[in-house]
Amino acid sequence: MSESTDPEVPAGRTVPPDAAEAAGAPDAAAAPTTPTTPAPPAAADATGPAATIAAGYAFTGPALDLGALLWDGHVLPERQIRIPLSMLNRHGLVAGATGTGKTKTLQLIAEQLSAGGVPVFLADIKGDVSGISAPGTANETVAQRAKEVGQQWEPTGCPSEFYSLGGIGTGIPVRSTVTAFGPVLMSKVLQLNQTQEQSLGLIFHYADTKGLELIDLKDLRAVVAFLVSDQGKPELKGIGGLSTVTAGVILRALTAFEQQGAAEFFGEPEFDTSEFLRTAADGRGVVSVLELQAVQDKPQLFSTFLMWLLADLYTDLPEVGDLEKPKLVFFFDEAHLLFNDASKAFLDSVTQTVRLIRSKGIGVFFVTQTPKDVPADVLAQLGNRVQHALRAFTPDDAKALKATVKTFPHSAYDLEELLTQLGTGEAVITVLSEKGAPTPVAATRLCAPQSLMGPVEPTALDQAVKSSMLYSRYAQPVDRESAYEKISAEQAAAEAQAEAAAAAAEAEKQAKAAEKAARSAPKPDPSLAQQVVGSGLFRSLARSIGTQVGREISRSIFGTARRRR
């Protein structure tokens, strides 16, 4: 990064080893701008179009050095093309066909931002950006490129952290709780209609008021299922209730969402997005690399993360307006994967976020193959453009080329021809000046990055992850008691109580039945002795015997004589 205001003074930079792609010689000559001969003396072009173009990039404040101007078949190292650091929050686009050097351009800008004290976030889908953490390796290609563009190159790596979504792949796991994600974003990713979204809002409201923490997706599923059960139906009756049909839609959408790998993303410990805003001890911005190679086939998971991350930062960060340098700059590589098959709700969310997050000091750059990969409403928010070569092998390619040319300001170049003839590591650039006006379109031979152009070794990457101070904080998932466990415990207790009550009722029923049976049972036949004792003859004889015995006892006691007959 350079603060020089003199376009004649080349800015010093640094470059990496594998610069064959970004620092390699062009593979085709571009008329009228691709250089094929040594640069002419600067005085020969002191007042021509090249001087006019270069003057548009002579900024007074800090700026990133992108490369040297290409004009009339020559590289003009004294004509430096830059981008003001203060304009990096106005967002941008890096586009071009496969193999034209997009990722290396991303790397070039990111490492200069880091050197300027600006934290950087890189979404690395292909797995080839991790080299930004390691110094580059000098070679003849790098030396030749540095000489052509007036670059003072020395190998330098950036302070870096590596992350992964929910621990899928190598990196510090990034997770969010369902509660923090919120009903609005959840409705968008589940593609719910307005009525279903309102019902989901009621579900979140109920969980909050009852102290049911929604940490992962099974918590949300448990609450939805409970609220349509016999026990839970009365809970929302006073505020509209939850229909069984709507609950079924939400549960099916959650199942489909989980099949995209989303279950890994929701959980604890929840990631604090302020970690992306850190600077190193030496003042350089930390480069946060989100490794997405393991989830290339899960675009909805990546889209979900993007929505949550931007929304979380937008919510937490204060309004700051325009700063001398941004608080954070995002780069989303392979952005066409982000927008492929994206729902309208997602596109609306991204558009709104990109439009508003600038005032929070956040810049967003999309890296993709053609501008048409980015929705028009999003593209309209991108003030800085780095357009690498496009191919026109098919009618669709030719149509895309014409559409791309129309998106640029009026130019001294024949852009339709130029864009098909740019070499690797060359691009057409227009940015916003310090006053916010578009700069002249400039064909540029780009500097080579100063960090390693290619992935670091897997062992080095794993070591970098585990040696981070953040690893112990976020690596181990935590599954504490939350809505699922609380509802399951309550349901188990209710079931046990119901079973006990049913058993007691059954026992009482059986006891009553036994008592009734006992009362209605026939009496048994008396025995022979019982029949004799109970007969009338026996009772009469017993009375007679009793009377005679009584008399005899009386006589013996009172001395009365027996009457003679």
Side-chain angles (χ1 to χ4, degrees), residues 19-100:
E21 177 178 345
D27 47 17
T33 57
T34 303
T36 55
T37 60
D45 189 49
T47 59
T52 302
I53 294 172
Y57 294 85
F59 308 122
T60 59
L64 308 186
D65 302 308
L66 300 179
L69 181 68
L70 287 168
W71 181 258
D72 196 23
H74 301 283
V75 182
L76 307 178
E78 72 281 2
R79 308 296 190 188
Q80 290 293 308
I81 304 303
R82 302 181 175 93
I83 178 172
L85 186 59
S86 60
M87 289 293 108
L88 268 295
N89 70 333
R90 301 302 178 91
H91 314 315
L93 174 72
V94 179
T98 301
T100 56

Side-chain angles (χ1 to χ4, degrees), residues 187 191-201 246 249-250:
S187 296
Q191 301 183 37
L192 304 181
N193 62 31
Q194 184 176 0
T195 300
Q196 295 157 358
E197 180 177 348
Q198 292 171 349
S199 295
L200 188 62
T246 298
V249 171
I250 295 174

Side-chain angles (χ1 to χ4, degrees), residues 311-393:
D312 190 74
L313 283 168
Y314 179 77
T315 301
D316 292 346
L317 292 176
E319 292 281 341
V320 294
D322 292 326
L323 303 173
E324 292 184 357
K325 60 183 180 181
K327 289 185 175 182
L328 176 68
V329 176
F330 281 78
F331 289 89
F332 293 102
D333 199 5
E334 303 295 331
H336 63 280
L337 296 178
L338 170 66
F339 294 110
N340 279 354
D341 301 322
S343 66
K344 184 179 184 301
F346 172 72
L347 297 179
D348 291 343
S349 178
V350 172
T351 302
Q352 182 179 13
T353 302
V354 170
R355 181 183 296 116
L356 299 177
I357 205 169
R358 178 193 65 79
S359 62
K360 305 290 183 124
I362 305 296
V364 182
F365 274 68
F366 296 99
V367 184
T368 188
Q369 295 184 3
T370 70
K372 69 180 181 63
D373 293 333
V374 180
D377 289 342
V378 176
L379 192 63
Q381 307 299 319
L382 311 182
N384 303 298
R385 297 278 300 276
V386 179
Q387 178 65 61
H388 287 266
L390 292 174
R391 308 305 181 205
F393 298 142

Side-chain angles (χ1 to χ4, degrees), residues 5 11 21 68 196 211 253 284 361 373 439 472 497 505 524 541 559:
T5 60
E21 177 178 345
Q196 295 157 358
R284 291 185 294 168
D373 293 333
T439 58
S472 60
Q497 185 177 1
L541 177 62

Side-chain angles (χ1 to χ4, degrees), residues 181-390:
F181 199 71
V184 175
L185 285 181
M186 186 64 73
S187 296
K188 291 183 183 300
V189 298
L190 296 181
Q191 301 183 37
L192 304 181
N193 62 31
Q194 184 176 0
T195 300
Q196 295 157 358
E197 180 177 348
Q198 292 171 349
S199 295
L200 188 62
L202 285 178
I203 294 168
F204 272 73
H205 172 73
Y206 171 78
D208 288 341
T209 56
K210 295 296 183 179
L212 299 173
E213 296 89 346
L214 300 178
I215 294 176
D216 50 29
L217 293 182
K218 74 176 184 295
D219 290 326
L220 180 56
R221 185 186 296 105
V223 174
V224 175
F226 170 75
L227 290 175
V228 291
S229 67
D230 292 339
Q231 182 182 355
K233 281 182 179 179
E235 296 288 338
L236 294 181
K237 188 175 182 180
I239 53 176
L242 177 66
S243 74
T244 304
V245 174
T246 298
V249 171
I250 295 174
L251 291 173
R252 287 192 295 273
L254 284 172
T255 300
F257 191 36
E258 283 183 300
Q259 291 175 349
Q260 290 286 328
E264 300 291 338
F265 173 56
F266 292 99
E268 286 186 326
E270 182 179 9
F271 188 79
D272 184 354
T273 55
S274 65
E275 304 286 8
F276 294 141
L277 304 176
R278 294 186 299 121
T279 55
D282 59 5
R284 291 185 294 168
V286 173
V287 179
S288 300
V289 181
L290 179 66
E291 295 287 340
L292 297 172
Q293 191 174 11
V295 293
Q296 290 186 62
D297 58 340
K298 300 177 176 65
Q300 191 172 7
L301 177 59
F302 173 54
S303 300
T304 300
F305 169 77
L306 170 63
M307 293 174 67
W308 166 72
L309 177 59
L310 293 181
D312 190 74
L313 283 168
Y314 179 77
T315 301
D316 292 346
L317 292 176
E319 292 281 341
V320 294
D322 292 326
L323 303 173
E324 292 184 357
K325 60 183 180 181
K327 289 185 175 182
L328 176 68
V329 176
F330 281 78
F331 289 89
F332 293 102
D333 199 5
E334 303 295 331
H336 63 280
L337 296 178
L338 170 66
F339 294 110
N340 279 354
D341 301 322
S343 66
K344 184 179 184 301
F346 172 72
L347 297 179
D348 291 343
S349 178
V350 172
T351 302
Q352 182 179 13
T353 302
V354 170
R355 181 183 296 116
L356 299 177
I357 205 169
R358 178 193 65 79
S359 62
K360 305 290 183 124
I362 305 296
V364 182
F365 274 68
F366 296 99
V367 184
T368 188
Q369 295 184 3
T370 70
K372 69 180 181 63
D373 293 333
V374 180
D377 289 342
V378 176
L379 192 63
Q381 307 299 319
L382 311 182
N384 303 298
R385 297 278 300 276
V386 179
Q387 178 65 61
H388 287 266
L390 292 174

